[in-house]
Amino acid sequence: MTRHKDIFALLLALLLSLSAPAVLAEEDEAENDGQPDAEAAMPARSYAVPYPHARRHQAVLEYLQLNQRQQEAVTLIADEQTFYGLFLRERSGQPQGGALLLHDLEQHGHWPELIAPLREALPDHGWTTLAIELPTPTPAPLPPRPEPTTDTPDDAGGDTGESSEDEPVTTAATEPEDPQTDPEDNDGINAATEPQDDEDDTPGGDPADMSAEPPLPPLGELPQPDAPSPPPPADEPAPDLRQKFAAEVRSRIASGLEYLGQRGQLNLVLIASGDSAVWAAGLIEARQRDNDNARGIALVLIDAREHPASQLTLTQVLETLDVPVLDLVTADNRTPEWSVRERRGAMARRHRGGYQQIRLEGSGHANPLVVRRIRGWLKTNAAGTELKDIPD
């Protein structure tokens, strides 16, 4: 009797252990009834998108803030968009004019290798400087991926994937083995000694055999496939993007010149580095065309380069200018040598006496010689005089 009681107690305990998870699950469902799922309530995971252009220019403002120079940053507006400028007044007491500094692409308004030394050194010699933020060109969109073409039975020569009874399909699984390795087939016939049917090679052979068909006429020349149209270069922006970028750059340069004019700077000079050279020259050309002259403005180019978004080359724009131009070429120049010589020769053919090309053997990065060369040239060719107040 005791033994039966022990067996009954063991079975009862086993049943309770099996039913316990179901009871607990029902209790959990009753407790969580009406409450949102924790995983469903979690917000979607967000990913940080890198934007080096904005981060690069934001670092300039943070640098000025850390060094208590935030008063140098000014806000400018062009085409209903705001951008920053770094403004410094002259510190010599003998004002010469205003200098608008344009940094190279993928740089900023306080680039330490060239723009920053110029904008901090020229105020000691009478020049009020303003370095502005230039936009980054929009990358060209990727060319559309061609849609995959599927061959139809008519286009592919009737290959439908189905085999006829007269033409067996040979696959890897049904490929006949080498007669030397398998001397006898399933019927016990030696494949190596099996007589060959020579009648198939004659015109009166099996009509299903492809070798029985008459030969095709000789082909005079291979057919020439239709040449596909070449895709647009991946590194060349679309025309609408080029025009939009060019208009945005010109608007920002014009806004910077207007800001200097509002601060009493009537004698102006544009100092452009690298890819920004063509935009500076183009704005002076437009100003010269609209006003019939461009007096009170000069141009300084440092290692000038052609920009693919410009409709005209730099040489074509420079040929139209009748203003003092300094073309400074350093060891960091990335323009081909023939282009530099062509630029100088084109200005000589036009008899542009205000154009001067100077070569420096050293690097232009943080080179005090570059600052001295530009300062000396400005003093000789573009220095202004202070206008005295005229009494009424």
Side-chain angles (χ1 to χ4, degrees), residues 306 313-321 327 338-353 355 357:
E306 303 287 349
T313 64
L314 178 60
T315 302
Q316 293 173 334
V317 179
L318 289 178
E319 288 178 345
T320 63
L321 301 185
D327 189 1
W338 65 267
S339 180
V340 177
R341 294 199 306 267
E342 179 66 21
R343 195 161 64 228
R344 181 182 58 191
M347 299 300 285
R349 288 193 304 269
R350 290 281 185 170
H351 302 286
R352 301 300 186 189
Y355 174 85
Q357 187 177 99

Side-chain angles (χ1 to χ4, degrees), residues 252-298:
R252 294 197 178 189
I253 298 176
S255 178
L257 292 177
E258 183 181 359
Y259 184 86
L260 288 175
Q262 294 173 355
R263 299 304 180 273
Q265 307 301 323
L266 303 180
N267 183 48
L268 301 174
V269 57
L270 277 172
I271 302 178
S273 172
D275 288 286
S276 61
V278 67
W279 309 118
L283 188 133
I284 296 179
E285 188 272 338
R287 182 171 176 173
Q288 180 178 267
R289 183 180 62 250
D290 297 339
N291 301 334
D292 198 21
N293 65 72
R295 295 180 181 176
I297 193 168

Side-chain angles (χ1 to χ4, degrees), residues 113 303 305 329-335 360-367:
E113 295 177 348
D303 293 332
R305 291 195 304 271
V329 182
T330 71
D332 300 322
N333 179 53
R334 290 180 287 175
T335 303
L360 296 180
E361 298 297 334
S363 172
H365 294 169
N367 189 349

Side-chain angles (χ1 to χ4, degrees), residues 28-340:
D28 292 341
E29 292 179 359
E31 292 178 358
N32 297 331
D33 188 14
Q35 298 181 359
D37 190 5
E39 296 182 358
M42 293 179 60
R45 183 176 299 177
S46 60
Y47 297 91
V49 179
Y51 193 24
H53 172 71
R55 186 69 189 93
R56 180 169 58 248
H57 291 286
Q58 182 63 28
V60 177
L61 303 179
E62 294 176 357
Y63 168 80
L64 297 178
Q65 183 73 24
L66 290 175
N67 291 272
Q68 299 181 358
R69 298 173 58 181
Q70 62 272 15
Q71 71 278 0
E72 299 178 13
V74 296
T75 301
L76 305 175
I77 301 176
D79 294 335
E80 299 181 355
Q81 294 183 357
T82 61
F83 61 98
Y84 74 84
L86 304 181
F87 182 73
L88 283 177
R89 289 192 176 274
E90 62 89 18
R91 297 185 289 261
S92 66
Q94 298 177 354
Q96 302 296 318
L100 182 64
L101 283 76
L102 308 178
H103 62 78
D104 199 355
L105 293 183
E106 299 183 358
Q107 295 183 1
H108 51 68
H110 194 69
W111 197 253
E113 295 177 348
L114 183 61
I115 299 299
L118 280 172
R119 86 174 197 92
E120 293 178 342
L122 290 179
D124 294 332
H125 303 277
W127 291 94
T128 297
T129 61
L130 175 65
I132 62 173
E133 171 193 0
L134 293 181
T136 298
T138 305
L142 296 177
R145 178 179 297 179
E147 297 181 358
T149 57
T150 56
D151 296 336
T152 60
D154 296 337
D155 298 336
D159 186 10
T160 59
E162 299 179 359
S163 61
S164 61
E165 297 180 357
D166 298 336
E167 187 178 2
V169 179
T170 303
T171 61
T174 61
E175 186 178 358
E177 299 181 359
D178 189 1
Q180 301 299 330
T181 59
D182 189 12
E184 293 184 358
D185 56 11
N186 295 335
D187 295 335
I189 301 176
N190 192 343
T193 59
E194 184 178 1
Q196 304 292 332
D197 190 4
D198 297 332
E199 296 180 357
D200 295 338
D201 297 333
T202 62
D206 188 2
D209 192 1
M210 298 300 295
S211 62
E213 296 183 0
L216 297 175
L219 186 64
E221 60 179 358
L222 294 177
Q224 299 295 331
D226 296 336
S229 58
D235 56 346
E236 182 178 353
D240 54 340
L241 297 179
R242 291 200 302 262
Q243 296 174 4
K244 180 181 178 181
F245 173 72
E248 187 175 358
V249 173
R250 287 194 295 264
S251 295
R252 294 197 178 189
I253 298 176
S255 178
L257 292 177
E258 183 181 359
Y259 184 86
L260 288 175
Q262 294 173 355
R263 299 304 180 273
Q265 307 301 323
L266 303 180
N267 183 48
L268 301 174
V269 57
L270 277 172
I271 302 178
S273 172
D275 288 286
S276 61
V278 67
W279 309 118
L283 188 133
I284 296 179
E285 188 272 338
R287 182 171 176 173
Q288 180 178 267
R289 183 180 62 250
D290 297 339
N291 301 334
D292 198 21
N293 65 72
R295 295 180 181 176
I297 193 168
L299 177 63
V300 175
L301 308 178
I302 307 173
D303 293 332
R305 291 195 304 271
E306 303 287 349
H307 195 280
S310 176
Q311 297 180 353
L312 298 177
T313 64
L314 178 60
T315 302
Q316 293 173 334
V317 179
L318 289 178
E319 288 178 345
T320 63
L321 301 185
D322 192 14
V323 300
V325 178
L326 171 62
D327 189 1
L328 194 61
V329 182
T330 71
D332 300 322
N333 179 53
R334 290 180 287 175
T335 303
E337 179 62 25
W338 65 267
S339 180
V340 177

